[in-house]
Amino acid sequence: MIQRRKVIIGAMGVAAAATAAGCSSSGKEKSGGTAWIDPAAKAAPVAAPVEVTVTPATGAANISPADPIVVAATGGTVQSVKVTAGKAEVTGEMQADGTWRSTEDLAYGKTYKVVTTTTDSLGATAEHTSTFATVKPANVARITFQANGLNALKSGGTYGAGQPVIVAFSKAVNKKAAEKAIEIKTSPSVQGKFYWKDDRTVHWRPAKYWAAGTTVKVSVKAFGVKLGKTVYGAKNASASFNVERQLIAISDNRTHLTKVYINGKLVRTMKSSLGKGGGTTGANGEYINYWTAGGPHIVLEKKRRHTMSSASYGVSDPKDPNYYVSENIEFCTRISYSGEFLHAAPWNGSLGRANLSHGCINLSTSDAKWVYENMILGDVVDVTNSPRKLPIWNGLGDWTVPFDRYGK
């Protein structure tokens, strides 16, 4: 018992000594000693590092100006983003997922500076700076929409059942890239095909004439898109048109009659005189054919009065028996680029009996006036039983080609 008591006391004494030593510590350890740490003390909190991701990445070049800027942070929160190119500032918005996204297009050939302010888990703020450059194209292509080669398309306007969609680029483009940028929506929905008139102008048509009540909308998402080796789209563009009724005129070279159908119903029969046939040689040695071209023509423009001359298609010698100048012909409705019109021909005494024109469709003044007042751009005038065919390039000859071969 005595021995055990001494052990306990000794132990208590050691503990007391240790406590006393702790209370009177000068903060300097003796050589070979061990620092004492209060077990109740907590380690100071340390924030996780904040990682900022900017798209496009810093240092990136030749970026499409249509691409958005997206800023995200891990380990912290995006507080603000400022994007500038010189004095211009790009607007943007915070998204529901905590990222920041630009809300406007950028510009070609600019260097953008992105300054992001973030906070970490302890509320400390930091700035992150990133830069990138957009592509600077050698050429940009503007986009317009045509009714035909003579008239621009009036967006929201009403056109006939044969009106193709026509997109024109101001520069030569890669056809596949351009087609990919074009989106066409119709109501009711129909399938269609592209036909390239040249490397700047593309047409699109469905398999059949537009039905009455059709709405056509076309958009070209070309801004920031590489459309050729050195060509980018200048900006996006869109247009639309409506087809309120389907008007199709059938002009028969044999019967000398032109019948007009609206939505499948015959509404007018007109005595006509078409091209007299045969031909002559033009001033440059070209052969000029006097048959009215066969196949579906599309109304291109209308003129209340128009002067017609054989010189417009190559017969310019007044001594040539085929030379003529006819001034102020009334109620002219053009259906080809080469000069085929439906027009008043009060001098022609063979309407309904014989073909005597140089290729136009001659009508009485009252019938020509009706055509002028009732037909619109895009309406169809189909010439039948002619030995000569309308080329696809002469006006809007799109419908002269079967759909399975259209665009090939």
Side-chain angles (χ1 to χ4, degrees):
M1 287 296 291
I2 295 174
Q3 186 177 5
R4 185 177 179 188
R5 181 179 177 85
K6 287 181 178 179
V7 171
I8 293 174
I9 291 174
M12 290 179 65
V14 171
T19 301
C23 289
S24 62
S25 172
S26 64
K28 296 182 180 179
E29 293 186 33
K30 293 182 179 180
S31 179
T34 301
W36 180 84
I37 299 176
D38 186 348
K42 294 183 178 179
V46 178
V50 179
E51 293 185 7
V52 177
T53 303
V54 179
T55 305
T58 189
N62 296 321
I63 298 299
S64 168
D67 290 348
I69 302 170
V70 180
V71 180
T74 56
T77 305
V78 175
Q79 292 299 313
S80 66
V81 177
K82 185 175 183 179
V83 180
T84 55
K87 295 182 179 180
E89 186 169 344
V90 179
T91 59
E93 293 179 351
M94 294 300 301
Q95 307 299 302
D97 62 359
T99 62
W100 183 95
R101 188 181 184 94
S102 58
T103 53
E104 63 177 300
D105 286 332
L106 308 181
Y108 285 119
K110 299 291 183 180
T111 297
Y112 287 88
K113 181 180 180 182
V114 183
V115 179
T116 305
T117 302
T118 61
T119 56
D120 63 19
S121 58
L122 297 181
T125 62
E127 275 193 357
H128 177 280
T129 300
S130 177
T131 61
F132 67 89
T134 54
V135 66
K136 186 176 182 180
N139 298 284
V140 292
R142 300 183 306 277
I143 298 162
T144 55
F145 301 97
Q146 298 178 348
N148 51 66
L150 305 173
N151 292 281
L153 183 83
K154 294 181 180 180
S155 185
T158 299
Y159 290 84
Q163 178 64 53
V165 174
I166 305 176
V167 181
F169 299 88
S170 64
K171 302 285 185 182
V173 296
N174 176 279
K175 295 176 182 178
K176 288 184 178 180
E179 288 180 14
K180 188 176 180 180
I182 298 172
E183 181 180 58
I184 298 170
K185 294 182 178 180
T186 68
S187 179
S189 180
V190 295
Q191 298 297 312
K193 289 183 179 180
F194 288 105
Y195 151 67
W196 285 85
K197 178 178 177 291
D198 50 44
D199 56 9
R200 297 186 181 194
T201 311
V202 62
H203 296 202
W204 187 95
R205 54 153 276 207
K208 299 178 180 179
Y209 299 133
W210 303 112
T214 296
T215 298
V216 182
K217 296 180 179 180
V218 54
S219 60
V220 186
K221 297 179 180 178
F223 180 67
V225 176
K226 190 174 184 179
L227 297 175
K229 189 174 181 180
T230 64
V231 179
Y232 282 74
K235 59 176 63 176
N236 297 333
S238 62
S240 65
F241 64 88
N242 306 305
V243 180
E244 294 182 354
R245 86 288 185 272
Q246 188 188 76
L247 185 152
I248 300 173
I250 307 295
S251 189
D252 194 322
N253 186 65
R254 291 177 184 169
T255 65
H256 317 297
L257 295 174
T258 299
K259 296 182 177 182
V260 182
Y261 300 83
I262 296 180
N263 296 336
K265 181 181 178 180
L266 179 64
V267 298
R268 196 172 185 91
T269 299
M270 303 178 292
K271 294 180 180 180
S272 309
S273 180
L274 281 70
K276 64 182 181 178
T280 189
T281 302
N284 298 318
E286 73 278 20
Y287 181 74
I288 297 168
N289 195 310
Y290 285 126
W291 290 106
T292 303
H297 298 59
I298 304 301
V299 173
L300 305 174
E301 66 174 352
K302 298 189 296 182
K303 291 183 176 292
R304 177 64 181 80
R305 289 182 175 84
H306 185 58
T307 295
M308 296 184 182
S309 170
S310 61
S312 65
Y313 56 79
V315 180
S316 55
D317 185 356
K319 296 179 181 180
D320 191 313
N322 289 293
Y323 175 82
Y324 66 89
V325 176
S326 300
E327 297 182 348
N328 294 321
I329 296 177
E330 291 195 290
F331 304 113
C332 302
T333 300
R334 181 189 286 269
I335 57 174
S336 76
Y337 295 148
S338 62
E340 293 173 324
F341 290 81
L342 288 83
H343 65 79
W347 61 84
N348 191 334
S350 295
L351 298 179
R353 294 188 294 110
N355 294 325
L356 299 179
S357 83
H358 292 88
C360 289
I361 300 175
N362 288 181
L363 302 171
S364 69
T365 299
S366 61
D367 283 338
K369 183 174 184 290
W370 186 93
V371 168
Y372 178 85
E373 293 177 343
N374 288 274
M375 286 192 182
I376 61 175
L377 271 60
D379 280 340
V380 180
V381 179
D382 193 353
V383 177
T384 60
N385 296 314
S386 171
R388 182 167 76 96
K389 183 179 178 181
L390 178 72
I392 191 171
W393 48 263
N394 189 4
L396 299 180
D398 299 65
W399 302 93
T400 64
V401 179
F403 190 62
D404 59 351
R405 298 207 310 270
Y406 185 71
K408 296 182 179 180

